[in-house]
Amino acid sequence: TLPPRQHRRNRQMHNFVVNYRGHPFMEGLSENKPLWYTVVAVFPALYVLCLELIPPLNTFLELQPMPNRGFGLLLAGHLAADLAGVLAIEKGSQHLARLADP
């Protein structure tokens, strides 16, 4: 399983991606190639590790095995729900902010 410290990093990655603002002060996320490639690599790798799709990789990274298949699915679902929740809150907050501006 993922240690608590790693789980916090994954949640931080979700929050960073959702809250990243590009224009007008910086380039957009997809225009910042190194950052974009990192995001595109990290998210699928995270789910591959959670679901133990490549067991030798989990062993190489010294991750503890999941107690059962259902737990890995639960963890992956939790991470997906966390990302969806963060996106929904961010979009809702942006919408409310636009409504509040005269």
Side-chain angles (χ1 to χ4, degrees), residues 42-55:
V42 165
F43 279 104
L46 171 65
Y47 290 97
V48 165
L49 293 173
C50 285
L51 298 172
E52 295 182 326
L53 298 177
I54 307 173

Side-chain angles (χ1 to χ4, degrees), residues 52-66:
E52 295 182 326
L53 298 177
I54 307 173
L57 180 60
N58 286 37
T59 303
F60 175 75
L61 295 174
E62 298 182 1
L63 298 176
Q64 292 294 319
M66 298 287 176

Side-chain angles (χ1 to χ4, degrees), residues 31-43:
E31 296 165 355
N32 185 342
K33 294 301 180 193
L35 181 59
W36 177 247
Y37 292 144
T38 300
V39 169
V40 168
V42 165
F43 279 104

Side-chain angles (χ1 to χ4, degrees), residues 87-102:
L87 281 169
I89 290 170
E90 179 64 22
K91 296 300 178 186
S93 298
Q94 288 176 354
H95 179 69
L96 291 174
R98 280 193 299 272
L99 291 176
D101 282 343

